[in-house]
Amino acid sequence: MIDFEEALRIILNNTKTLDSERIFLDQALNRVLFKDIYAKENIPSFDNSAMDGFALLNEDLLPLKNALPVKLKIVGEVSAGAKPIPIKKGEAVKIYTGAPIPQGADTVIELELTKVNADEVEILAYKEKGSNIRRIGEDIKKGDLLLESGKVLRGYELGILASHNIVTLDVFRMPRVGIFVTGDEVLDIGEEKTSDAQIRSSNHISIMGLLESMGLKPTFLGIIKDDKESIKNALNRIEEFDILISTGGVSVSDKDFTKEAVKELGFDVKFHKVAIKPGKPMMFATKGDKLFFGLPGNPVSCVINFDIFVRPSIKKMMGYKDIIKPFMRAKLIAPIKRKSSDRLEFLRGILNLEQELLVEALPKQSSHMLTEFRNANCYILVPKGVNEIPAGEFVDVIMFSSYIR
Ligand code: AMP
Ligand code: MG
């Protein structure tokens, strides 16, 4: 059985970053930039006022340094979007935030430091030359690197691109993902129960939700009976996707057909079983460039395997540079104890982010107890070989992706 790090390495080594597609800016949220983008113009694109006030010549303000009054003639006004008016010594122009600086002016005095009397303005305080003027290109200069390839486009970056009039852009293509779940006992939501031994499938709903929150549009291929031929038919649909995910049927009982089916179809099984808890029975196989993840049926195992293995692989396909979610170090506030220490364990925990990072494992950690996720916002990693971690020790924590991107 291989370790977590080895399993992740195998998955990432077999994951190819996808090609690009051109999309409109308003469709680009959370997509990853394919090519570097350079500034199309200077931003700001012209000298403009940072305040509502009066534009004037700094030399006219010099008497204020000797406590002498300064009164200037108002020769006009310029609002945002309007044409600037040139001024001469002894003159001032009323100016609004974002309006172009009048020719000849080199300083803007904010309204609060002025007193207007008919067509004359008295300036009440001295300000340095250049005050309240936003200079052309001081944010970014035309031709400078604006956004690097591999950048994940958040609302912030979309705004930056909009300010350069980028209407369409090249981003990495999104992986096409298909998912099916297996199990004779498994029912979809809304289906009528015909026996008490049946259960609802939470797995496809969880995984579809997690995929959709990454911006993907996964395809659900249905609930498949524990029957090798049906599983093979579902597996054959891998041709339509970049990634195929199944849940259930990857353990070792004679009702677990996934591995046999995968082998008979000529998939290349890269590993089966990882020394982690929960989620040990997971299987990873490839068919050409296409990836198959056989996740266990237990709902907690299934979700954890998705987070620690499938998510990084999808991120690599999507062009993300930071694929592995950084671990954080948090201080444990209650001890962790366990009987066996033969596997790296992922405990659901609560991380308190208010001051220092404090973390606590939740009580219900069994792999069938999905409900505890309600209270959790992170995984706590308990390393192989460790049975006990006292309170006050620092542990590795991975925050759920809904908290950070
Ligand atoms: P398996 O991996 O098929 O042996 O299933 C392990 C456990 O997970 C069993 O208790 C199954 O009933 C349960 N299970 C299997 N598939 C699902 C599913 N889609 N949703 C929720 N639980 C499931
Ligand atoms: Mg099963």
Side-chain angles (χ1 to χ4, degrees), residues 128-188:
E128 293 298 329
K129 197 168 173 171
S131 289
N132 298 319
I133 295 179
R134 304 157 166 174
R135 290 290 175 202
I136 179 168
E138 74 175 5
D139 182 7
I140 190 157
K141 295 202 168 39
K142 185 175 175 173
D144 282 357
L145 182 62
L146 186 63
L147 290 176
E148 230 177 314
S149 121
K151 191 89 188 158
V152 180
L153 303 175
R154 306 165 297 176
Y156 313 110
E157 283 77 20
L158 296 186
I160 291 170
L161 291 168
S163 65
H164 289 262
N165 193 30
I166 307 285
V167 181
T168 62
L169 65 161
D170 293 321
V171 293
F172 287 95
R173 180 168 72 74
M174 298 287 255
R176 292 162 304 202
V177 183
I179 172 169
F180 66 90
V181 298
T182 67
D184 290 339
E185 77 285 26
V186 177
L187 288 182
D188 207 345

Side-chain angles (χ1 to χ4, degrees), residues 182-186 226 247-250 255-256 297:
T182 67
D184 290 339
E185 77 285 26
V186 177
D226 288 317
T247 81
V250 282
K255 282 277 180 194
D256 293 322

Side-chain angles (χ1 to χ4, degrees), residues 228-229 231-239 258-268 286-287:
K228 197 158 69 181
E229 282 314 306
I231 292 175
K232 274 180 154 179
N233 287 338
L235 286 169
N236 269 328
R237 297 198 59 186
I238 196 165
E239 297 308 333
T258 306
K259 193 174 184 185
E260 269 176 55
V262 156
K263 283 190 164 161
E264 285 175 24
L265 289 175
F267 287 35
D268 185 0
T286 58
K287 192 161 191 241

